[in-house]
Every structure is written in structure tokens, then in C-alpha cells.
């Protein structure tokens, strides 16, 4: 069964950094889109960053471009999200997903359980 497991969330002060990890299993990791999405209560899930593992091509939401970096480790079937210069508005539940296209959450069909990121001012 295809599975994604996120880790690395936590609490940090504004300006700080966190690294999220997403480990994939029973999934065609190579030549697939894996993405990071976030959601806060009452709001729709939004795309943060995505990577096409076949080429390493990355896409970023305007709100995180220049601060967040998505990367992949093919040997570990793992995707990372390095988040720098964090802002309180980055606080959300972050989800890893696979099988979709770009930053459109509705196109993804495999989802992790989520990891909470809280940024205090």
C-alpha cells in the first residue's frame, strides 16, 4: 500500500528554520510529482512546493519562494522541505502528497497524515 510519512514539524520563533521530511513507501518515487501542502482551520489546502523527481524540477508558491526549498533523496525515497525565515503566517498543518501535478492539491491521490508547524512572533 502506498504510504507517505511526514516528520520534522514543530514550534519555532519567527525568523527560524525547520526541515520537514516525507518518506515514501510502496510508491513509484522516481518520475513522480511529490508536493508539500498546508492547511489552517477554515481555509482550503494550498500548495507550497512540489518537485518532479524525474528531473528535480521544483515549483513554489509565491508566498514561500526564496525562503523554502524542496529537495529529494532518491536513495531514501524521501522528499524534504527546508523552511527558512519562517513567519507566523507559515503556521499550518503541512502535508506531503504524491501522484499529482504541480501545486494543485486536487490532483494528488496519496497523502500523508500531516505534521504541524507553528511559528510564533
Amino acid at each position: 500500500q502506498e504510504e507517505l510519512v511526514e516528520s520534522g514539524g514543530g514550534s519555532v520563533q519567527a525568523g527560524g528554520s525547520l526541515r520537514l521530511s516525507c518518506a515514501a513507501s510502496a510508491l513509484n518515487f522516481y518520475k513522480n510529482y511529490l508536493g508539500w501542502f498546508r492547511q489552517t482551520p477554515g481555509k482550503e489546502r494550498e500548495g507550497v512546493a512540489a518537485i518532479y523527481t524525474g528531473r528535480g524540477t521544483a515549483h513554489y508558491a509565491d508566498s514561500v519562494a526564496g525562503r523554502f526549498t524542496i529537495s529529494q533523496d532518491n536513495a531514501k525515497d524521501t522528499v524534504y522541505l527546508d523552511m527558512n525565515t519562517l513567519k507566523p503566517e507559515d503556521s499550518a498543518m503541512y502535508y506531503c502528497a504524491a501522484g499529482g501535478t504541480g501545486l494543485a492539491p486536487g490532483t494528488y491521490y496519496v497523502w500523508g497524515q500531516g505534521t504541524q508547524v507553528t511559528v510564533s512572533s
Side-chain angles (χ1 to χ4, degrees):
Q1 183 176 354
E2 297 168 314
E3 186 178 28
L4 299 170
V5 179
E6 303 102 329
S7 61
S11 297
V12 65
Q13 289 191 327
S17 300
L18 283 173
R19 169 178 257 204
L20 305 184
S21 300
C22 173
S25 60
L27 182 71
N28 182 18
F29 185 83
Y30 193 59
K31 292 186 177 181
N32 205 341
Y33 262 106
L34 280 93
W36 286 98
F37 301 82
R38 66 187 182 188
Q39 189 171 23
T40 54
K43 293 188 177 181
E44 292 186 357
R45 192 167 296 186
E46 64 170 347
V48 175
I51 189 166
Y52 180 62
T53 58
R55 297 179 182 176
T57 306
H59 307 271
Y60 297 97
D62 290 344
S63 58
V64 306
R67 299 189 297 123
F68 291 10
T69 302
I70 190 170
S71 61
Q72 63 188 85
D73 185 334
N74 293 340
K76 297 181 179 180
D77 285 358
T78 298
V79 170
Y80 303 98
L81 184 68
D82 288 297
M83 305 185 294
N84 298 310
T85 319
L86 282 161
K87 305 175 181 179
E89 52 263 43
D90 293 319
S91 298
M93 183 70 78
Y94 282 71
Y95 298 90
C96 179
T101 303
L103 298 177
T107 66
Y108 286 75
Y109 69 91
V110 183
W111 289 87
Q113 81 286 355
T115 185
Q116 180 68 40
V117 171
T118 302
V119 184
S120 59
S121 58

